[in-house]
């Protein structure tokens, strides 16, 4: 039904192989025998969910699931108008079971871990991946080990990893250091690596594209804008759109547009410099801790997605991210974490620069929920007004001009 294949040397591997990258070092892709997959729009009726697309997912056994996917696609007319656009949507991935898009990859990845008979699952994370792995590990009854950059993980994410019983290791180093370490740990101890270098994760995440196409009435938008960190999600969503096009379900692919924070932007630099590969950044820094990554493991695939779709990449400042987060929250009622708001900030910047046209149909993916990072919210929003418990004090405070 499918095999794994190196994107560099095209060496093939079997579904029963426990392997993350090719022996040549190249990233792996999962390739199906599409001539044996016959899916039509008619087969895809019914409520949205990751496992609705199981004909295009690489696992055979009963899934480890908490009902992930089926996230809302909101039309955001007020926000669109403020940018001079007409047709803008937000795909709010914060509405997944653990509050981020990672659940789509983890339901598939942890199910695959069971299929392969793996006894422990592990990852490095800026927070959301660890929360999701802890949850799906618990659901599967498999121990999880997570490596986090010390002091740089939003508290909501840390709380999830701790409460769901993962072994949580706080590394004195950044995400890139933690990823290197966990890859080594998995090789030495036989733990199953569930970072997005594992192609099974990306298979789950590609269902974001399937759902968007369905929610838009079997159409792809002109452009997809999303935050980029380790560069798995942009790769996964591109693959999803390509598969639907290949199967004749949609007839175009959106321009994949990746947004990074100014302080952590190796992909953007490679796109702007027309470089074949990225130059890693040693000291990534941004308020959007989820995408505080200097050496994205899926960079080669992400560059291909951006270039292959005629998309682009842009940076946004921390100020622009915070402004966009507040704007989306107050103008549209959609609460997202800082990394997710970078997609909105990037959209505004690219519209103002004339790169994104006013008539384009744009979908921004907001990857994580506001409550993931409430510490940040308290730091950037005005403090609650403390008053005496009297109606006079309440009225005074309500009508006071600030
Ligand atoms: N947005 C959020 C909220 C994230 O948590 C991440 C990645 C991204 C965007 C970027 O996605 O890595 O596929 O390009 N978070 C990872 C983690 C790195 O460990 O939770 P990407």
């Amino acid at each position: 039904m499918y095999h794994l294949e190196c994107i560099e040397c095209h060496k093939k591997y079997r579904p029963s192989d426990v392997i993350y990258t090719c022996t040549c070092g190249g990233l792996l892709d999962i390739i199906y025998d599409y001539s044996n997959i016959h899916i039509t729009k008619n087969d895809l009726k019914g409520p949205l969910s990751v496992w609705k697309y199981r004909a295009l997912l690489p696992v055979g056994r009963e899934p480890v699931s908490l009902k992930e996917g089926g996230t809302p696609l909101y039309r955001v007319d007020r926000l669109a108008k403020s940018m001079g656009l007409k047709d803008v949507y937000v795909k709010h991935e914060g509405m997944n079971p653990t509050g981020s898009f990672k659940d789509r990859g983890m339901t598939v990845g942890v199910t695959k871990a069971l299929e392969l008979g793996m006894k422990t699952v592990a990852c490095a994370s800026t927070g959301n991946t660890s929360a999701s792995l802890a949850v799906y590990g618990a659901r599967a009854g498999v121990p999880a080990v997570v490596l986090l950059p010390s002091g740089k993980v939003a508290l909501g994410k840390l709380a999830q990893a701790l409460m769901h019983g993962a072994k949580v290791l706080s590394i004195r180093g950044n995400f890139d250091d933690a990823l290197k370490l966990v890859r080594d740990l998995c090789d030495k101890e036989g733990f199953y690596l569930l970072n997005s270098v594992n192609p099974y994760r990306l298979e789950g995440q590609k269902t974001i594209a399937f759902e968007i196409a369905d929610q838009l009435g079997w159409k792809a938008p002109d452009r997809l804008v999303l935050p980029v960190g380790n560069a798995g999600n942009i790769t996964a969503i591109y693959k999803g759109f390509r598969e639907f096009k290949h199967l004749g379900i949609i007839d175009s692919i959106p321009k994949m547009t990746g947004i990074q924070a100014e302080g952590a932007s190796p992909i953007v630099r490679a796109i702007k410099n027309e470089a074949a590969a990225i130059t890693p950044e040693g000291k990534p820094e941004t308020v959007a801790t989820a995408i505080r990554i200097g050496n994205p493991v899926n960079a080669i695939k992400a560059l291909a997605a951006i270039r292959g779709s005629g998309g682009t990449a842009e940076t946004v400042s921390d100020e622009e991210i915070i402004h966009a987060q507040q704007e989306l929250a107050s103008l549209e009622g959609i609460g997202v974490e800082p990394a997710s708001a970078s997609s909105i900030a990037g959209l505004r910047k690219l519209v103002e620069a004339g790169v994104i046209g006013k008539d384009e149909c744009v979908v921004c993916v907001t990857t994580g929920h506001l409550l993931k990072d409430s510490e940040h919210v308290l730091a950037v929003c005005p403090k609650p007004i403390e008053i005496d418990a009297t109606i006079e004090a309440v009225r005074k405070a309500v009508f006071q001009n600030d």
Side-chain angles (χ1 to χ4, degrees):
M1 259 278 280
Y2 72 90
H3 65 272
L4 293 95
E5 190 170 317
C6 175
I7 65 165
E8 308 284 346
C9 75
H10 301 289
K11 184 168 173 187
K12 293 185 172 61
Y13 297 90
R14 291 184 307 259
S16 56
D17 293 331
V18 178
I19 186 138
Y20 311 107
T21 48
C22 183
T23 46
C24 81
L27 295 168
L28 299 175
D29 221 348
I30 291 180
I31 314 272
Y32 299 85
D33 176 3
Y34 293 104
S35 62
N36 270 325
I37 299 175
H38 306 284
I39 300 181
T40 63
K41 294 170 200 169
N42 254 341
D43 303 321
L44 295 174
K45 286 199 177 123
L48 295 173
S49 80
V50 166
W51 291 99
K52 177 178 179 173
Y53 309 102
R54 65 180 306 159
L56 285 163
L57 294 175
V59 277
R61 59 168 287 142
E62 199 45 41
V64 178
S65 174
L66 288 157
K67 303 207 182 300
E68 44 294 314
T71 57
L73 183 76
Y74 298 122
R75 237 190 115 83
V76 286
D77 287 340
R78 240 174 270 125
L79 184 74
K81 199 165 162 227
S82 78
M83 300 185 194
L85 298 176
K86 296 190 206 89
D87 207 10
V88 181
Y89 300 81
V90 166
K91 176 73 169 160
H92 192 11
E93 287 295 296
M95 303 299 271
N96 273 294
T98 78
S100 86
F101 71 97
K102 305 289 181 179
D103 299 344
R104 293 180 187 268
M106 282 309 170
T107 183
V108 174
V110 171
T111 303
K112 185 67 198 181
L114 294 188
E115 197 171 279
L116 290 169
M118 306 305 285
K119 300 286 180 258
T120 302
V121 289
C123 72
S125 180
T126 55
N128 281 321
T129 300
S130 67
S132 192
L133 186 65
V135 167
Y136 283 85
R139 190 79 181 151
V142 176
V145 178
V146 305
L147 278 65
L148 307 175
S150 177
K152 293 291 181 182
V153 173
L155 278 191
K157 305 171 188 181
L158 184 61
Q160 288 175 297
L162 291 168
M163 180 54 97
H164 290 283
K167 171 143 298 194
V168 178
L169 308 178
S170 198
I171 304 295
R172 292 186 203 100
N174 62 27
F175 168 83
D176 303 295
D177 301 322
L179 182 56
K180 218 166 135 217
L181 272 172
V182 80
R183 290 180 77 165
D184 197 22
L185 177 74
C186 288
D187 285 346
K188 294 206 164 88
E189 297 300 327
F191 296 171
Y192 193 56
L193 178 68
L194 275 169
N195 279 99
S196 60
V197 66
N198 181 328
Y200 290 98
R201 275 268 316 273
L202 303 187
E203 290 302 296
Q205 289 171 209
K206 76 184 178 186
T207 59
I208 295 176
F210 298 164
E211 290 189 4
I212 291 172
D214 186 334
Q215 288 166 309
L216 289 178
W218 304 118
K219 269 196 345 241
D222 298 317
R223 188 177 295 270
L224 199 96
V225 186
L226 78 166
V228 173
N230 217 17
N233 210 29
I234 192 165
T235 304
I237 298 175
Y238 180 55
K239 184 169 194 256
F241 280 117
R242 286 185 64 190
E243 283 184 347
F244 258 24
K245 181 154 183 272
H246 186 82
L247 293 166
I249 295 172
I250 53 173
D251 49 31
S252 65
I253 289 171
K255 295 184 169 76
M256 302 300 295
T257 302
I259 309 298
Q260 296 196 295
E262 270 173 9
S265 54
I267 302 265
V268 178
R269 275 191 293 119
I271 290 292
K272 293 201 170 172
N273 297 338
E274 296 180 14
I278 60 149
T279 308
E281 286 175 17
K283 290 195 189 321
E285 205 48 82
T286 166
V287 68
T289 51
I291 52 171
R292 186 175 169 270
I293 295 175
N295 190 12
V297 74
N298 285 300
I300 294 287
K301 285 183 174 177
L303 293 176
I306 292 167
R307 290 176 176 141
S309 64
T312 189
E314 188 52 272
T315 59
V316 287
S317 68
D318 281 359
E319 293 68 36
E320 288 167 326
I321 290 173
I322 294 167
H323 177 74
Q325 185 191 23
Q326 290 172 326
E327 200 175 27
L328 187 61
S330 58
L331 272 186
E332 298 288 354
I334 302 172
V336 305
E337 66 168 285
S340 310
S342 68
S343 59
I344 308 296
L347 173 61
R348 181 177 291 283
K349 188 166 173 184
L350 288 167
V351 170
E352 282 168 6
V355 176
I356 295 183
K358 304 259 174 188
D359 291 326
E360 289 189 34
C361 170
V362 182
V363 172
C364 291
V365 182
T366 54
T367 43
H369 199 278
L370 174 76
L371 294 175
K372 288 280 191 172
D373 197 350
S374 45
E375 264 180 311
H376 155 83
V377 174
L378 296 178
V380 300
C381 290
K383 301 267 169 297
I385 308 163
E386 193 171 329
I387 53 166
D388 290 335
T390 64
I391 188 66
E392 295 75 32
V394 171
R395 292 186 67 235
K396 192 167 163 233
V398 167
F399 295 112
Q400 154 190 313
N401 291 327
D402 26 36

